[in-house]
Amino acid sequence: MSTTTNHKNDLSFLNDLRSQYSHQPTFLQAVEEMAVGLMPLFQDPREGEFYRRAFLSMAEPERMISFRVPWMDDSGKLQFNRGWRVEFNSVLGPYKGGLRFHPTVDDGILKFLGFEQIFKNALTGLPLGGGKGGSDFNPKGKSEAEVRRFCESFMTELYRYLHPSTDVPAGDIGVGGREIGYMFGQYKRLTNKHGEGVLTGKSILFGGSPLRPEATGYGVVYITKLAVEKRLDRCMDGMRCAASGSGNVWMYCAEKLMSLGAKVLTASDSNGVLLFEDGMTKEDWDTIVECKQVQRGRLSSLEGKISGRYIEKGTPWSLDIPYDLAFPCATQNEIKKEDAERLVKNGVLGVVEGANLPTDLDAQEVLRANPSIIYIPGKASNAGGVAVSGMEMSQNAQRLTWTAEEVDEKLQNTMSNIYQQMEDAAGKEGTLEQGANRAGFIKVAKASKELGWIY
């Protein structure tokens, strides 16, 4: 019998959830991944029953909002998309989590993201609950005017559910500073309220925080640096690093890695991968950023303009070359079982998740079977983004703007605290993955009990 089957038998109390949401496989995957790391708690003779009840409660959103989003394209034709906001858990504070605009978005994807967000936010130490939202609208190929009209229509429905003490969205895939700006502009028009922290990731011109765009990628590297120093007794200098994606998280993860002397070997998009066998240069990085963030182009267009080579339909994980550290920063389930086996075969020292749930369940089992490999799940490693979002909320509430140096110091302290929580919760025998899951869960469970919400 496989390890995965054993886990399913041990977690039979989830059977009703599995039956109820069999049409939402990514959500169930997130639930199973979390539950596997919590099995010692569920099996505790004294508190196990309470922890199982608490977990089932946390797996159901407090509220789900769905709505139609009508918008006009450039030809004057009326188009429709679907919009959602999953207000998952408010035990620790207002619902907090990003908005994703992507054609794959549905209620199941947003439930998976919102569920992960509960524990990620708990690990930051900030008073933030968990939520997520978005739409199946695809910004790619749309004109600036079409994106603006869509964002304004989306906010025309969503604004009524937002408040600094209730629900505070941010960006995610397909929602960057441009989209946040359009939505915040519509919120201001509709409410005549200005300076409120109802969205984070805003421009520094109207209430944004320094380092918010950089925070997720920087945070991934800060926590990796701690793990490499403490678990491997090594430094980042010279480390061969593979990172997937070419968006916001990849960009600043790669930038910070290079600043520490590490070699960044890859960048990717949905069409293929760029490989830099000796590490990319700062000029290469600049060219990629210009392509993706300004021109909104494809990496294939850069062949001949950079020192690396383009491999069509490849990913960093399909390449049979050795990496010291792997940073999946693109999307969910990008590392499959065979990819994880390839990483292990080639001597990978650590896998640190920049995206949410980028390692599928079978690949996770491969990593767990090799406990000497550092494996840090996204709920811990990519929490820097929401941490600085929380700092942006604080700055808005105080009508202040901190310096970039102040924010960076607080971000480094936050990631250090998250690392210590993982170590403490894992104990001498546990892994960092187990520590992350246990620390976040126990905090929310204890708070739920003290509020009288679970007993």
Side-chain angles (χ1 to χ4, degrees), residues 243-252 254-255 258 264-269 272-276 279-310:
S244 61
S246 48
N248 195 64
V249 181
W250 173 88
M251 188 191 330
Y252 293 113
E255 180 188 51
M258 288 191 292
V264 178
L265 306 183
T266 60
S268 64
D269 60 20
V273 60
L274 288 174
L275 174 63
F276 303 83
M280 70 177 61
T281 64
K282 179 62 167 62
E283 291 73 25
D284 292 327
W285 184 88
D286 289 338
T287 303
I288 295 169
V289 170
E290 171 75 17
C291 171
K292 301 303 288 190
Q293 299 297 313
V294 180
Q295 300 172 4
R296 301 184 186 276
R298 310 304 292 168
L299 293 180
S300 56
S301 68
L302 298 181
E303 201 156 19
K305 301 176 185 177
I306 50 170
S307 66
R309 60 189 173 95
Y310 180 74

Short mmCIF file of all heavy atoms in Angstrom, two decimals, residues 243-252 254-255 258 264-269 272-276 279-310:
data_model
loop_
_atom_site.label_atom_id
_atom_site.label_comp_id
_atom_site.label_asym_id
_atom_site.label_seq_id
_atom_site.Cartn_x
_atom_site.Cartn_y
_atom_site.Cartn_z
N ALA A 243 14.53 28.77 -10.86
CA ALA A 243 13.29 29.42 -10.46
C ALA A 243 12.35 29.44 -11.66
O ALA A 243 12.77 29.76 -12.78
CB ALA A 243 13.56 30.85 -9.98
N SER A 244 11.10 29.08 -11.44
CA SER A 244 10.12 29.07 -12.53
C SER A 244 9.29 30.35 -12.49
O SER A 244 9.22 31.04 -11.48
CB SER A 244 9.19 27.86 -12.40
OG SER A 244 8.47 27.91 -11.18
N GLY A 245 8.66 30.63 -13.64
CA GLY A 245 7.87 31.84 -13.76
C GLY A 245 8.70 32.98 -14.31
O GLY A 245 9.92 32.85 -14.53
N SER A 246 8.03 34.09 -14.56
CA SER A 246 8.71 35.31 -15.00
C SER A 246 7.91 36.52 -14.56
O SER A 246 8.07 37.61 -15.10
CB SER A 246 8.90 35.31 -16.52
OG SER A 246 7.69 34.97 -17.19
N GLY A 247 7.03 36.31 -13.59
CA GLY A 247 6.22 37.39 -13.05
C GLY A 247 6.84 38.01 -11.82
O GLY A 247 8.05 37.92 -11.59
N ASN A 248 5.99 38.58 -11.01
CA ASN A 248 6.44 39.37 -9.87
C ASN A 248 7.30 38.57 -8.89
O ASN A 248 8.36 39.02 -8.46
CB ASN A 248 5.21 39.94 -9.16
CG ASN A 248 5.56 41.05 -8.21
OD1 ASN A 248 6.05 42.09 -8.61
ND2 ASN A 248 5.31 40.81 -6.93
N VAL A 249 6.85 37.37 -8.52
CA VAL A 249 7.58 36.58 -7.52
C VAL A 249 8.93 36.14 -8.08
O VAL A 249 9.96 36.28 -7.42
CB VAL A 249 6.75 35.36 -7.07
CG1 VAL A 249 7.52 34.56 -6.01
CG2 VAL A 249 5.40 35.80 -6.51
N TRP A 250 8.92 35.61 -9.33
CA TRP A 250 10.19 35.21 -9.94
C TRP A 250 11.16 36.39 -10.00
O TRP A 250 12.34 36.26 -9.69
CB TRP A 250 9.95 34.67 -11.36
CG TRP A 250 11.25 34.42 -12.07
CD1 TRP A 250 11.98 33.27 -12.04
CD2 TRP A 250 12.02 35.37 -12.83
NE1 TRP A 250 13.15 33.43 -12.75
CE2 TRP A 250 13.20 34.72 -13.26
CE3 TRP A 250 11.83 36.70 -13.21
CZ2 TRP A 250 14.17 35.34 -14.03
CZ3 TRP A 250 12.80 37.33 -13.98
CH2 TRP A 250 13.95 36.66 -14.39
N MET A 251 10.64 37.54 -10.42
CA MET A 251 11.49 38.71 -10.67
C MET A 251 12.31 39.09 -9.45
O MET A 251 13.54 39.23 -9.51
CB MET A 251 10.58 39.89 -11.07
CG MET A 251 11.32 41.12 -11.54
SD MET A 251 10.23 42.58 -11.69
CE MET A 251 8.66 41.88 -12.09
N TYR A 252 11.64 39.21 -8.31
CA TYR A 252 12.34 39.70 -7.13
C TYR A 252 13.04 38.58 -6.36
O TYR A 252 14.00 38.83 -5.65
CB TYR A 252 11.38 40.50 -6.25
CG TYR A 252 10.97 41.77 -6.96
CD1 TYR A 252 9.66 41.96 -7.39
CD2 TYR A 252 11.90 42.75 -7.24
CE1 TYR A 252 9.29 43.12 -8.07
CE2 TYR A 252 11.56 43.91 -7.93
CZ TYR A 252 10.25 44.08 -8.34
OH TYR A 252 9.90 45.21 -9.03
N ALA A 254 14.64 36.21 -8.05
CA ALA A 254 15.88 36.14 -8.84
C ALA A 254 16.80 37.31 -8.51
O ALA A 254 18.02 37.12 -8.35
CB ALA A 254 15.54 36.12 -10.33
N GLU A 255 16.25 38.49 -8.39
CA GLU A 255 17.07 39.67 -8.09
C GLU A 255 17.79 39.51 -6.75
O GLU A 255 18.99 39.76 -6.64
CB GLU A 255 16.20 40.93 -8.06
CG GLU A 255 16.97 42.19 -7.75
CD GLU A 255 16.06 43.39 -7.53
OE1 GLU A 255 15.11 43.29 -6.73
OE2 GLU A 255 16.31 44.44 -8.15
N MET A 258 20.60 36.81 -6.86
CA MET A 258 21.82 37.29 -7.50
C MET A 258 22.58 38.26 -6.60
O MET A 258 23.81 38.27 -6.59
CB MET A 258 21.47 37.95 -8.84
CG MET A 258 21.05 36.94 -9.90
SD MET A 258 20.94 37.63 -11.59
CE MET A 258 19.55 38.71 -11.42
N VAL A 264 21.29 32.24 -10.86
CA VAL A 264 19.92 31.96 -11.28
C VAL A 264 19.97 31.41 -12.70
O VAL A 264 20.42 32.08 -13.63
CB VAL A 264 19.05 33.23 -11.21
CG1 VAL A 264 17.64 32.93 -11.69
CG2 VAL A 264 19.03 33.77 -9.79
N LEU A 265 19.51 30.17 -12.85
CA LEU A 265 19.69 29.45 -14.11
C LEU A 265 18.49 29.50 -15.04
O LEU A 265 18.64 29.20 -16.24
CB LEU A 265 20.02 27.97 -13.82
CG LEU A 265 21.20 27.69 -12.88
CD1 LEU A 265 21.42 26.20 -12.76
CD2 LEU A 265 22.46 28.38 -13.37
N THR A 266 17.30 29.85 -14.53
CA THR A 266 16.11 29.70 -15.37
C THR A 266 15.09 30.82 -15.15
O THR A 266 15.05 31.47 -14.11
CB THR A 266 15.38 28.36 -15.08
OG1 THR A 266 15.00 28.34 -13.69
CG2 THR A 266 16.25 27.17 -15.40
N ALA A 267 14.28 31.02 -16.18
CA ALA A 267 13.03 31.78 -16.12
C ALA A 267 12.09 31.07 -17.08
O ALA A 267 12.53 30.41 -18.04
CB ALA A 267 13.25 33.23 -16.56
N SER A 268 10.78 31.15 -16.85
CA SER A 268 9.86 30.41 -17.72
C SER A 268 8.53 31.13 -17.84
O SER A 268 8.18 32.00 -17.03
CB SER A 268 9.63 29.00 -17.15
OG SER A 268 8.98 29.06 -15.89
N ASP A 269 7.80 30.78 -18.89
CA ASP A 269 6.39 31.15 -18.99
C ASP A 269 5.64 29.94 -19.53
O ASP A 269 6.22 28.84 -19.63
CB ASP A 269 6.18 32.43 -19.82
CG ASP A 269 6.66 32.33 -21.26
OD1 ASP A 269 6.84 31.19 -21.76
OD2 ASP A 269 6.88 33.38 -21.89
N GLY A 272 7.49 28.04 -22.57
CA GLY A 272 8.82 27.45 -22.54
C GLY A 272 9.69 28.03 -21.45
O GLY A 272 9.22 28.79 -20.59
N VAL A 273 10.97 27.67 -21.49
CA VAL A 273 11.90 28.04 -20.43
C VAL A 273 13.18 28.63 -21.03
O VAL A 273 13.65 28.19 -22.08
CB VAL A 273 12.23 26.82 -19.53
CG1 VAL A 273 12.86 25.69 -20.33
CG2 VAL A 273 13.12 27.21 -18.36
N LEU A 274 13.73 29.63 -20.36
CA LEU A 274 15.06 30.15 -20.68
C LEU A 274 16.07 29.49 -19.74
O LEU A 274 15.86 29.45 -18.52
CB LEU A 274 15.11 31.67 -20.48
CG LEU A 274 14.36 32.54 -21.49
CD1 LEU A 274 14.39 34.00 -21.05
CD2 LEU A 274 14.95 32.40 -22.89
N LEU A 275 17.15 28.99 -20.29
CA LEU A 275 18.19 28.34 -19.49
C LEU A 275 19.49 29.11 -19.62
O LEU A 275 19.97 29.37 -20.73
CB LEU A 275 18.40 26.89 -19.97
CG LEU A 275 19.57 26.14 -19.31
CD1 LEU A 275 19.34 25.97 -17.81
CD2 LEU A 275 19.76 24.78 -19.98
N PHE A 276 20.06 29.46 -18.48
CA PHE A 276 21.35 30.15 -18.40
C PHE A 276 22.29 29.21 -17.63
O PHE A 276 22.26 29.17 -16.39
CB PHE A 276 21.22 31.48 -17.65
CG PHE A 276 20.22 32.43 -18.26
CD1 PHE A 276 18.87 32.32 -17.97
CD2 PHE A 276 20.62 33.43 -19.13
CE1 PHE A 276 17.93 33.19 -18.51
CE2 PHE A 276 19.70 34.32 -19.68
CZ PHE A 276 18.36 34.18 -19.38
N GLY A 279 24.37 30.82 -15.11
CA GLY A 279 23.69 31.87 -14.36
C GLY A 279 23.44 33.10 -15.20
O GLY A 279 24.30 33.50 -16.00
N MET A 280 22.28 33.71 -15.03
CA MET A 280 21.97 34.92 -15.80
C MET A 280 22.72 36.12 -15.25
O MET A 280 23.14 36.14 -14.07
CB MET A 280 20.46 35.18 -15.80
CG MET A 280 19.86 35.62 -14.48
SD MET A 280 18.09 36.00 -14.65
CE MET A 280 17.42 34.43 -15.18
N THR A 281 22.89 37.12 -16.09
CA THR A 281 23.53 38.37 -15.68
C THR A 281 22.46 39.39 -15.30
O THR A 281 21.26 39.20 -15.57
CB THR A 281 24.36 38.95 -16.84
OG1 THR A 281 23.46 39.30 -17.92
CG2 THR A 281 25.38 37.95 -17.33
N LYS A 282 22.89 40.50 -14.72
CA LYS A 282 21.95 41.57 -14.39
C LYS A 282 21.31 42.11 -15.68
O LYS A 282 20.12 42.46 -15.69
CB LYS A 282 22.69 42.70 -13.66
CG LYS A 282 21.82 43.90 -13.29
CD LYS A 282 20.70 43.52 -12.32
CE LYS A 282 20.03 44.74 -11.69
NZ LYS A 282 19.37 45.63 -12.67
N GLU A 283 22.08 42.14 -16.76
CA GLU A 283 21.54 42.60 -18.05
C GLU A 283 20.46 41.64 -18.54
O GLU A 283 19.44 42.07 -19.09
CB GLU A 283 22.66 42.74 -19.09
CG GLU A 283 23.64 43.88 -18.82
CD GLU A 283 24.58 43.60 -17.64
OE1 GLU A 283 24.83 42.41 -17.33
OE2 GLU A 283 25.04 44.59 -17.03
N ASP A 284 20.68 40.33 -18.38
CA ASP A 284 19.65 39.35 -18.75
C ASP A 284 18.37 39.59 -17.95
O ASP A 284 17.27 39.58 -18.51
CB ASP A 284 20.15 37.92 -18.47
CG ASP A 284 21.28 37.49 -19.39
OD1 ASP A 284 21.29 37.92 -20.55
OD2 ASP A 284 22.13 36.70 -18.93
N TRP A 285 18.54 39.78 -16.65
CA TRP A 285 17.38 40.01 -15.76
C TRP A 285 16.61 41.25 -16.21
O TRP A 285 15.37 41.24 -16.29
CB TRP A 285 17.87 40.16 -14.31
CG TRP A 285 16.79 40.30 -13.30
CD1 TRP A 285 16.13 39.29 -12.65
CD2 TRP A 285 16.23 41.53 -12.78
NE1 TRP A 285 15.19 39.82 -11.77
CE2 TRP A 285 15.25 41.18 -11.83
CE3 TRP A 285 16.48 42.87 -13.04
CZ2 TRP A 285 14.51 42.15 -11.14
CZ3 TRP A 285 15.75 43.83 -12.35
CH2 TRP A 285 14.77 43.47 -11.42
N ASP A 286 17.34 42.32 -16.49
CA ASP A 286 16.69 43.56 -16.95
C ASP A 286 15.89 43.34 -18.22
O ASP A 286 14.78 43.85 -18.38
CB ASP A 286 17.74 44.66 -17.20
CG ASP A 286 18.36 45.19 -15.92
OD1 ASP A 286 17.74 45.06 -14.85
OD2 ASP A 286 19.48 45.75 -15.99
N THR A 287 16.45 42.56 -19.14
CA THR A 287 15.79 42.30 -20.42
C THR A 287 14.51 41.50 -20.22
O THR A 287 13.47 41.78 -20.85
CB THR A 287 16.75 41.55 -21.37
OG1 THR A 287 17.94 42.31 -21.54
CG2 THR A 287 16.10 41.30 -22.72
N ILE A 288 14.56 40.50 -19.34
CA ILE A 288 13.37 39.68 -19.06
C ILE A 288 12.28 40.54 -18.41
O ILE A 288 11.10 40.46 -18.78
CB ILE A 288 13.74 38.49 -18.16
CG1 ILE A 288 14.67 37.53 -18.89
CG2 ILE A 288 12.48 37.75 -17.69
CD1 ILE A 288 15.29 36.46 -18.01
N VAL A 289 12.66 41.37 -17.46
CA VAL A 289 11.70 42.22 -16.78
C VAL A 289 11.05 43.19 -17.76
O VAL A 289 9.82 43.40 -17.75
CB VAL A 289 12.38 42.97 -15.61
CG1 VAL A 289 11.44 44.04 -15.04
CG2 VAL A 289 12.79 41.98 -14.52
N GLU A 290 11.84 43.78 -18.64
CA GLU A 290 11.30 44.69 -19.65
C GLU A 290 10.29 43.95 -20.54
O GLU A 290 9.22 44.47 -20.86
CB GLU A 290 12.45 45.24 -20.50
CG GLU A 290 12.04 46.02 -21.73
CD GLU A 290 11.50 47.41 -21.44
OE1 GLU A 290 11.72 47.93 -20.32
OE2 GLU A 290 10.86 47.97 -22.34
N CYS A 291 10.64 42.74 -20.95
CA CYS A 291 9.77 41.94 -21.81
C CYS A 291 8.43 41.63 -21.13
O CYS A 291 7.37 41.82 -21.73
CB CYS A 291 10.47 40.64 -22.20
SG CYS A 291 9.43 39.43 -23.04
N LYS A 292 8.49 41.17 -19.87
CA LYS A 292 7.27 40.69 -19.22
C LYS A 292 6.46 41.79 -18.56
O LYS A 292 5.22 41.76 -18.59
CB LYS A 292 7.63 39.62 -18.16
CG LYS A 292 8.37 38.42 -18.70
CD LYS A 292 7.62 37.70 -19.82
CE LYS A 292 6.42 36.93 -19.32
NZ LYS A 292 5.85 36.05 -20.37
N GLN A 293 7.13 42.77 -17.98
CA GLN A 293 6.41 43.78 -17.20
C GLN A 293 6.02 45.00 -18.02
O GLN A 293 5.01 45.64 -17.72
CB GLN A 293 7.27 44.23 -16.00
CG GLN A 293 7.61 43.11 -15.04
CD GLN A 293 6.39 42.50 -14.38
OE1 GLN A 293 5.53 43.20 -13.89
NE2 GLN A 293 6.32 41.18 -14.38
N VAL A 294 6.78 45.33 -19.03
CA VAL A 294 6.51 46.53 -19.83
C VAL A 294 5.86 46.17 -21.16
O VAL A 294 4.77 46.62 -21.49
CB VAL A 294 7.80 47.36 -20.05
CG1 VAL A 294 7.50 48.60 -20.88
CG2 VAL A 294 8.42 47.74 -18.70
N GLN A 295 6.54 45.29 -21.91
CA GLN A 295 6.02 44.91 -23.23
C GLN A 295 4.94 43.84 -23.15
O GLN A 295 4.21 43.62 -24.11
CB GLN A 295 7.18 44.41 -24.10
CG GLN A 295 8.27 45.45 -24.32
CD GLN A 295 9.50 44.86 -25.02
OE1 GLN A 295 9.52 43.69 -25.41
NE2 GLN A 295 10.54 45.67 -25.15
N ARG A 296 4.86 43.14 -22.00
CA ARG A 296 3.91 42.05 -21.80
C ARG A 296 4.04 41.00 -22.92
O ARG A 296 3.06 40.53 -23.49
CB ARG A 296 2.48 42.58 -21.68
CG ARG A 296 2.32 43.55 -20.51
CD ARG A 296 0.91 44.03 -20.28
NE ARG A 296 0.89 45.06 -19.24
CZ ARG A 296 0.86 44.85 -17.93
NH1 ARG A 296 0.81 43.61 -17.48
NH2 ARG A 296 0.85 45.86 -17.07
N GLY A 297 5.31 40.67 -23.22
CA GLY A 297 5.62 39.74 -24.29
C GLY A 297 5.90 38.34 -23.78
O GLY A 297 5.73 38.03 -22.60
N ARG A 298 6.36 37.47 -24.69
CA ARG A 298 6.69 36.08 -24.36
C ARG A 298 8.20 35.92 -24.32
O ARG A 298 8.95 36.62 -25.04
CB ARG A 298 6.11 35.12 -25.41
CG ARG A 298 4.64 35.34 -25.73
CD ARG A 298 3.77 35.26 -24.49
NE ARG A 298 3.71 33.92 -23.92
CZ ARG A 298 3.20 33.65 -22.71
NH1 ARG A 298 2.75 34.63 -21.94
NH2 ARG A 298 3.15 32.42 -22.27
N LEU A 299 8.68 35.00 -23.51
CA LEU A 299 10.12 34.78 -23.38
C LEU A 299 10.75 34.32 -24.69
O LEU A 299 11.92 34.56 -24.93
CB LEU A 299 10.40 33.77 -22.28
CG LEU A 299 10.05 34.19 -20.84
CD1 LEU A 299 10.38 33.07 -19.86
CD2 LEU A 299 10.77 35.47 -20.44
N SER A 300 9.98 33.67 -25.54
CA SER A 300 10.51 33.20 -26.83
C SER A 300 11.02 34.36 -27.68
O SER A 300 11.90 34.16 -28.53
CB SER A 300 9.43 32.43 -27.59
OG SER A 300 8.27 33.23 -27.77
N SER A 301 10.49 35.56 -27.44
CA SER A 301 10.91 36.72 -28.23
C SER A 301 12.30 37.21 -27.86
O SER A 301 12.86 38.07 -28.54
CB SER A 301 9.91 37.87 -28.05
OG SER A 301 9.97 38.38 -26.72
N LEU A 302 12.90 36.64 -26.78
CA LEU A 302 14.19 37.13 -26.29
C LEU A 302 15.37 36.35 -26.83
O LEU A 302 16.52 36.69 -26.54
CB LEU A 302 14.21 37.08 -24.76
CG LEU A 302 13.18 37.95 -24.05
CD1 LEU A 302 13.33 37.83 -22.54
CD2 LEU A 302 13.30 39.40 -24.48
N GLU A 303 15.11 35.29 -27.60
CA GLU A 303 16.22 34.49 -28.12
C GLU A 303 17.14 35.38 -28.95
O GLU A 303 16.69 36.13 -29.82
CB GLU A 303 15.68 33.33 -28.96
CG GLU A 303 16.67 32.20 -29.08
CD GLU A 303 16.01 30.86 -29.37
OE1 GLU A 303 14.85 30.85 -29.82
OE2 GLU A 303 16.67 29.84 -29.15
N GLY A 304 18.43 35.32 -28.66
CA GLY A 304 19.41 36.15 -29.36
C GLY A 304 19.66 37.49 -28.67
O GLY A 304 20.62 38.18 -29.01
N LYS A 305 18.81 37.84 -27.71
CA LYS A 305 18.96 39.12 -27.00
C LYS A 305 19.54 38.93 -25.60
O LYS A 305 19.79 39.91 -24.89
CB LYS A 305 17.60 39.83 -26.89
CG LYS A 305 16.94 40.13 -28.22
CD LYS A 305 15.57 40.75 -28.02
CE LYS A 305 14.84 40.95 -29.34
NZ LYS A 305 13.47 41.48 -29.15
N ILE A 306 19.71 37.69 -25.19
CA ILE A 306 20.19 37.36 -23.84
C ILE A 306 21.27 36.29 -23.95
O ILE A 306 21.48 35.70 -25.02
CB ILE A 306 19.04 36.84 -22.95
CG1 ILE A 306 18.28 35.75 -23.69
CG2 ILE A 306 18.10 37.96 -22.54
CD1 ILE A 306 17.30 35.01 -22.86
N SER A 307 21.93 36.02 -22.83
CA SER A 307 23.03 35.04 -22.85
C SER A 307 22.53 33.60 -22.76
O SER A 307 23.30 32.67 -23.01
CB SER A 307 24.01 35.32 -21.71
OG SER A 307 23.39 35.11 -20.45
N GLY A 308 21.27 33.40 -22.40
CA GLY A 308 20.72 32.05 -22.27
C GLY A 308 20.08 31.58 -23.56
O GLY A 308 19.99 32.30 -24.55
N ARG A 309 19.60 30.31 -23.54
CA ARG A 309 18.90 29.76 -24.70
C ARG A 309 17.47 29.39 -24.31
O ARG A 309 17.19 29.04 -23.17
CB ARG A 309 19.63 28.55 -25.28
CG ARG A 309 19.82 27.38 -24.32
CD ARG A 309 20.74 26.33 -24.92
NE ARG A 309 21.06 25.27 -23.97
CZ ARG A 309 20.40 24.12 -23.91
NH1 ARG A 309 19.39 23.87 -24.73
NH2 ARG A 309 20.75 23.19 -23.02
N TYR A 310 16.59 29.47 -25.29
CA TYR A 310 15.16 29.22 -25.07
C TYR A 310 14.83 27.78 -25.45
O TYR A 310 15.24 27.30 -26.52
CB TYR A 310 14.32 30.19 -25.90
CG TYR A 310 12.83 30.00 -25.74
CD1 TYR A 310 12.17 30.41 -24.58
CD2 TYR A 310 12.07 29.41 -26.75
CE1 TYR A 310 10.81 30.23 -24.43
CE2 TYR A 310 10.71 29.23 -26.61
CZ TYR A 310 10.08 29.64 -25.46
OH TYR A 310 8.71 29.46 -25.31
#
